[in-house]
């Protein structure tokens, strides 16, 4: 799919730009011993949590883009909110590419699930 191709491209670029160097070094070091492998298995969720926190960071920057109602200074012709939401998707694609997460398939499955949900998912206000 187009998303899967983008996911691979986003991860390749992030790797090329050095965003995975520390994790690669840590994994190489930890995989050298059985104790290290066991410890690595325990800390991987924390590494994922740190990456997911970056999604939040980009989403917060998108909110600031809305609040300031401004234009992007990095990509001419786009709103700041558009730029920052693009960053959210790029970061998600990067991490999903690294971890082998099937985001495109999950989006389709979740959309199908949502079709059967109650209005406003049972009356939620927001």
């Amino acid at each position: 799919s187009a998303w899967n191709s983008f996911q691979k491209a986003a991860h390749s670029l992030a790797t090329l730009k050095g965003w995975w160097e520390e994790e690669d070094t840590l994994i190489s070091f930890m995989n050298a011993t059985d104790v290290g492998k066991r410890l690595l298995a325990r800390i991987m969720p924390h590494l994922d949590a740190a990456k997911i926190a970056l999604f939040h960071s980009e989403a917060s920057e998108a909110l600031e883009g809305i609040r300031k109602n401004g234009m992007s200074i990095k990509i001419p012709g786009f709103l700041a909110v558009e730029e920052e939401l693009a960053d959210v998707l790029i970061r998600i694609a990067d991490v999903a590419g690294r971890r082998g997460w099937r985001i495109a398939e999950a989006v389709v499955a979740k959309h199908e699930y949502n079709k059967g949900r109650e209005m406003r998912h049972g009356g939620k206000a927001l």
Side-chain angles (χ1 to χ4, degrees), residues 43-55:
I43 66 170
M44 283 305 294
H46 299 278
L47 297 176
D48 290 340
K51 294 296 184 184
I52 289 170
L54 294 173
F55 307 164

Side-chain angles (χ1 to χ4, degrees), residues 19 57-58 61-62 65 70-88 90-91:
W19 290 110
S57 174
E58 297 296 353
E61 290 177 13
M71 299 300 291
S72 168
I73 59 172
K74 296 176 185 170
I75 50 174
F78 289 90
L79 297 171
V81 65
E82 293 170 318
E83 174 194 338
E84 298 306 336
L85 289 175
D87 281 343
V88 172
I90 290 166
R91 285 202 182 266

Side-chain angles (χ1 to χ4, degrees), residues 1 3 7 13 17 24-25 45 50 55 59 63-65 67 69 85 93 99 112-113 120 125:
S1 74
W3 174 263
Q7 187 171 293
L13 182 59
K17 295 297 183 176
D24 288 340
T25 301
F55 307 164
L63 175 59
E64 284 303 306
R67 292 174 75 185
N69 196 26
L85 289 175
R99 301 291 187 246
E112 289 303 312
Y113 172 81
R120 296 185 76 139

Side-chain angles (χ1 to χ4, degrees), residues 87-101:
D87 281 343
V88 172
L89 295 175
I90 290 166
R91 285 202 182 266
I92 290 171
D94 171 31
V95 175
R98 172 73 172 210
R99 301 291 187 246
W101 295 342

